[in-house]
Amino acid sequence: MDAGHDERRSKTRTWIPVSSEAAPTRGVAILGSTGSIGTQALDVIREQRDRLHVEVLTAHRNADLLIKQALEFEPNTVVIGDTDRLGEVKDALWDHGIKVYGGAEALEQVVEMEGISVVLTALVGAAGLRPTLRAIRSKKTIALANKETLVVAGALVMKEALAAGVDIHPVDSEHSAIYQCLAGEVLNPIEKVILTASGGPFRGKSREELLSVTKAQALKHPNWDMGAKITIDSASMMNKGLEVIEAKWLFDVRMDQIEVVVHPQSIVHSCVQFEDGSIKAQLGLPDMKLPIQYALGYPQRLKNTFERFSFFDYPQLTFEKPDLDAFRNLQLAFDASNKGGNAPAVLNAANEVAVERFLKDELTFTGMTEAIEHALGHVSWEGQPGLEALIAADAEARAKAREFNA
């Protein structure tokens, strides 16, 4: 671990109220409140109303649920991305004094509001990049559930966060685990981070067996309750590949310092090995509410009523090497990150299109990997892209993935 990483970790702010009664509640903006992470974040806030309150809720097109959430949590502002449903949301919330806006630009602008302390970016895909950058420039603490932000533009985002003195608290269970393991370890360099993976529903299957995987099979994750896109990514192990790239940027480590271990029980969420050989791990039930709460309440561990883990319920925890031959997406992610430049952005964009096409029955399960490889091989590589170049690479990769026919 170099000095730059230590400097970043040592700048973490503290938030220690005098008492739970006297402490002002922390204002939260949830970008993507109707998705899996967003709804679980509201579960957390519902239980922590003396510590957290909602300032902003946003959704892309699920106006019905957005309205229901707004009526319960009474935010200052809501944003609906689909402007065709803007009037409907305005009409429903007009008498409740809640401001309502629509469209992508409003989504970016709303993160600048004064009452916001933490911006939870729970948007799916590369759509989270611009709002996250806007929030960083407005010096808002980031609770990052949108891994694609760092996959696409990790160098740019981390540079901006360091310059603005903004903390990024990871929400992914694996990155949250590593973040928790690093608490109190500012002066102790990392030797290795160990990301655990459940292996998904097809753990142990060969590449040949994956040829016949159906959409219904891929949408059944054994441990986690997630949205369709992330569930498919988990089944193909692309989700773990994206997490590997995210970990590189979050924890300022090289790719050869990141190891993936398949852990079917999903109890050990991830580990850190230090230079003396000691390994610290964070354990818990596979429930996203705990990492969400940790990110929103950091540095305090807020008391809650979540179900507790017991070793007696899990007498055997097992660990395996990932099969990079059957699950080639994981290797593609390592390769793209090692190549650097716009390659991770191309990987991410092509994967988003590939998953979309798989869910529409336009690609087979293994065809998703082939579409991603096609994009990686046909988009021109750029070593030090700025934001606009990354956006252009994203668009070109999507076009290449759409044109691919297995």
Side-chain angles (χ1 to χ4, degrees), residues 171-189:
V171 169
D172 273 346
S173 62
E174 296 82 357
H175 302 96
S176 175
I178 294 168
Y179 199 63
Q180 293 179 57
C181 290
L182 290 174
E185 301 284 359
V186 171
L187 301 178
N188 295 316

Side-chain angles (χ1 to χ4, degrees), residues 78-132:
V78 303
V79 178
I80 181 77
D82 184 354
T83 53
D84 288 341
R85 305 204 67 178
L86 177 59
E88 176 185 348
V89 179
K90 279 187 173 181
D91 289 344
L93 301 180
W94 177 263
D95 291 335
H96 298 271
I98 299 171
K99 303 181 186 71
V100 179
Y101 302 98
E105 181 59 27
L107 178 63
E108 292 182 38
Q109 291 176 345
V110 76
V111 299
E112 299 177 339
M113 285 175 43
E114 282 188 14
I116 298 170
S117 298
V118 184
V119 176
L120 171 60
T121 58
L123 301 169
V124 175
L129 175 57
R130 285 187 181 273
T132 302

Side-chain angles (χ1 to χ4, degrees), residues 9 20 59 79 92 105-106 116 118 155 164 171 182 196 204 214 216 243 252 264 278 281 297 307 317 337 365 378 388:
R9 283 165 53 194
S20 59
V79 178
E105 181 59 27
I116 298 170
V118 184
V171 169
L182 290 174
T196 56
T214 67
E243 288 174 3
D252 195 24
S278 295
E307 184 180 358
L317 302 178
S337 188
F365 187 79
H378 289 82
E388 296 308 316

Side-chain angles (χ1 to χ4, degrees), residues 16-17 23 44 204 210 217 259 262 269 304 309 340 360 381 405:
I16 305 175
V44 169
L210 294 177
Q217 291 171 328
E259 180 179 355
V262 175
H269 295 306
N304 58 54
F309 164 73
K360 292 179 179 178
W381 181 75
N405 290 310

Side-chain angles (χ1 to χ4, degrees), residues 258-275:
I258 303 173
E259 180 179 355
V260 174
V261 174
V262 175
H263 169 50
Q265 297 82 20
S266 297
I267 295 300
V268 177
H269 295 306
S270 277
C271 319
V272 177
Q273 181 171 307
F274 296 94
E275 285 191 331

